[in-house]
Amino acid sequence: MAMTVPEIRELARLADKQELAALERSLAADTRKGVQAAIAAAHKRLEAEQAERDRVAALYSYERSLLEPGRALIVGLDEVGRGAVAGPLAVGAVVLPAEPFIMGLNDSKKLSPEQREAVAENVKEHALAWAVEYVAPEDIDRDGMTASLKRAFKGALDAVEQTLHCDMVLVDGNPIHIDPREKNVVKGDAKCASIAAASIVAKVTRDALMRELACDFPEYDFGGNKGYGSPQHIDAIKSHGLSPLHRRSFCTSFMQETLF
């Protein structure tokens, strides 16, 4: 008895390259439009999966091309929360093994929250070391963003190097000048595997913290805006004043005098 189109569609949906080739051969004489559509969709899926594998492999290849001969361990660092008006600045640091490749690594802003969560768990499971360092809002106000960035990057680097010593320190963006091993890669979270991993881990960890803090200050919806200055968040500040989690120096243009 011939397979139904739904049965063939399910087989094609799950097939790898070899399985799809065998399925396609067995259906060579089947002219049903649904069958041909299922085969075409499977080919498209496999092409997309291969393109994603190639993209991720390029992230690993590019960062390793920056290493000096005889060197092996890379730590990638990236920050999140720099432009927020509330909550801490966070810097992630990740040391990845040469394999397995962590699929889905990318600029954290290009991933959905669900994708970020899944990739972050995979990174934490396979990383040789990882850490997230915070700088509190009051310290940002006191020291300024440049000093706070240096403090957070240095703290995250020191945390992973309690476990192992790295040969190269990859930092997303402009020079931070935290270590002689530092190399800077503009848009590094889209070019280097370890920086992308650091970006995702820092983002997921900081977002989780902001959701927890939202329970203490529900009027600001920190769980939704993660401390960034959305129109609704700014309206809440105008209505309720600043909370202890706000960066006063970031809120001068719209804050009221009423404070907690």
Side-chain angles (χ1 to χ4, degrees), residues 214 216-222 225 232-233 236-237 240-241 243 260:
D216 296 325
F217 302 97
E219 60 270 35
Y220 299 102
D221 187 29
F222 290 142
N225 58 53
Q232 295 81 4
H233 187 183
I237 293 172
H240 303 286
S243 76
F260 284 90

Side-chain angles (χ1 to χ4, degrees), residues 232-253:
Q232 295 81 4
H233 187 183
I234 292 172
D235 287 343
I237 293 172
K238 290 177 178 179
S239 298
H240 303 286
L242 298 180
S243 76
L245 297 179
H246 283 96
R247 306 172 187 176
R248 292 176 57 91
S249 58
F250 282 50
C251 300
T252 55
S253 64

Side-chain angles (χ1 to χ4, degrees), residues 193-233:
S194 58
I195 294 178
S199 170
I200 292 167
V201 168
K203 172 67 173 169
V204 168
T205 305
R206 184 183 182 276
D207 283 359
L209 175 63
M210 295 305 296
R211 288 192 295 270
E212 291 178 12
L213 295 173
C215 297
D216 296 325
F217 302 97
E219 60 270 35
Y220 299 102
D221 187 29
F222 290 142
N225 58 53
K226 307 304 188 294
Y228 287 88
S230 67
Q232 295 81 4
H233 187 183

Side-chain angles (χ1 to χ4, degrees), residues 16 27 35 59 96 102 129 147 154-155 170 173 182 190 207 220 231 254:
D16 61 20
L27 296 170
V35 170
L59 300 183
L96 293 174
I102 307 298
K154 187 64 167 62
L170 281 182
E182 178 181 330
D207 283 359
Y220 299 102
F254 47 80

